């Protein structure tokens, strides 16, 4: 589905959609420079070229000037197309080893190369999906960073309490040096490590679940 962002011309008005690929997360928008954002920009660029009258192979060859992180792979795909290789084969080579967003774009382009149809609208749908995933990833990164900071604070509280307690009452260190105190310290350390591992596992599982959506 087509979407219009602030600062862009609506396609319904006859103009082409322009602007930088951005995602709203936290206090404001930020530029996405990884492959996820680059795939969204590429989808929008190809859609604009197709609406201007270019064919799919022409649009793909024109996209070979894209900078990294897609530039090298797009250049290799353009070389295949200039040699006369089928569009489907060139797209399949471009999709090897890429991200889930790149796989989605390649699937849409291969479908268009085989069956035709409203390719520009399909690419708008890909761009919208990538934009949504980018926003969710940014929000997840913000939330997990807060959780990591909280985990560090919780882990630092027991040693801090021990240091402050020993300053107030030096006999505390003597009590901890006893066999019972050593056992208590070892038990506390075991719980600390178990808690840190548990929090890390929770944060990692949340990141993986978003990545597979």
């Amino acid at each position: 589905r087509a979407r219009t962002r602030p600062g862009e011309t609506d396609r319904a008005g006859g103009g082409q959609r322009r602007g930088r690929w951005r995602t709203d997360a936290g206090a404001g928008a930020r530029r996405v420079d990884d492959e996820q954002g680059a795939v969204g920009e590429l989808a929008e660029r190809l859609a604009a070229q197709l609406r201007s009258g270019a064919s799919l192979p022409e649009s793909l060859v024109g996209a070979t000037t894209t900078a990294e992180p897609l530039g090298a792979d797009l250049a290799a795909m353009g070389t295949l197309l200039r040699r006369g290789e089928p569009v489907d084969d060139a797209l399949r080579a471009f999709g090897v080893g890429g991200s889930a967003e790149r796989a989605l774009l390649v699937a849409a382009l291969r479908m268009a190369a085989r069956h035709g149809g409203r390719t520009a609208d399909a690419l708008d749908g890909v761009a919208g999906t990538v934009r949504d995933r980018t926003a969710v990833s940014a929000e997840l990164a913000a939330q997990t960073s807060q959780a990591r900071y909280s985990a560090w604070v919780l882990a630092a509280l027991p040693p801090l309490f021990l240091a402050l307690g020993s300053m107030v009452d030096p006999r505390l260190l003597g009590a901890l040096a006893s066999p019972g105190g050593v056992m208590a310290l070892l038990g506390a350390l075991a719980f600390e490590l178990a808690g840190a591992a548990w929090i890390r596992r929770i944060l990692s599982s949340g990141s993986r679940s978003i990545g597979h959506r």
Side-chain angles (χ1 to χ4, degrees):
R1 58 184 182 279
R3 301 184 183 184
T4 302
R5 298 194 298 279
E8 298 176 337
T9 304
D10 187 10
R11 181 168 55 88
Q16 293 182 357
R17 300 175 62 186
R18 298 178 180 175
R20 294 185 178 274
W21 183 267
R22 309 184 77 92
T23 178
D24 292 329
R30 67 178 179 86
R31 181 70 185 271
V32 178
D33 294 320
D34 58 0
E35 181 173 324
Q36 194 174 47
V39 169
E41 290 182 344
L42 177 61
E44 292 183 337
R45 180 178 177 182
L46 292 174
Q49 292 178 349
L50 290 170
R51 290 194 178 97
S52 67
S55 65
L56 180 57
E58 291 172 343
S59 300
L60 293 173
V61 171
T64 57
T65 58
T66 302
E68 294 295 343
L70 299 178
D73 292 339
L74 285 172
M77 181 181 65
T79 300
L80 294 176
L81 292 173
R82 293 187 186 95
R83 291 177 181 172
E85 297 289 337
V87 174
D88 189 74
D89 292 345
L91 287 171
R92 184 170 61 251
F94 172 67
V96 173
S99 62
E101 289 75 21
R102 189 194 298 204
L104 176 63
L105 175 62
V106 168
L109 290 172
R110 292 182 67 186
M111 184 69 68
R114 293 175 182 175
H115 306 290
R118 303 174 63 178
T119 306
D121 290 341
L123 292 174
D124 282 338
V126 171
T129 300
V130 174
R131 186 183 308 117
D132 292 341
R133 289 173 62 93
T134 302
V136 171
S137 298
E139 180 66 21
L140 177 65
Q143 292 181 358
T144 54
S145 65
Q146 296 174 3
R148 289 188 181 94
Y149 292 145
S150 299
W152 279 108
V153 171
L154 291 176
L157 284 178
L160 181 61
F161 175 78
L162 178 60
L164 293 176
S166 62
M167 293 175 61
V168 174
D169 189 354
R171 293 176 299 174
L172 178 61
L173 292 179
L176 292 176
S178 64
V182 172
M183 293 296 295
L185 284 177
L186 292 177
L189 179 60
F191 281 117
E192 284 273 312
L193 294 176
W198 189 12
I199 293 176
R200 182 176 181 180
R201 182 176 180 181
I202 292 174
L203 295 177
S204 299
S205 63
S207 300
R208 287 194 300 267
S209 65
I210 292 298
H212 290 308
R213 288 183 181 179

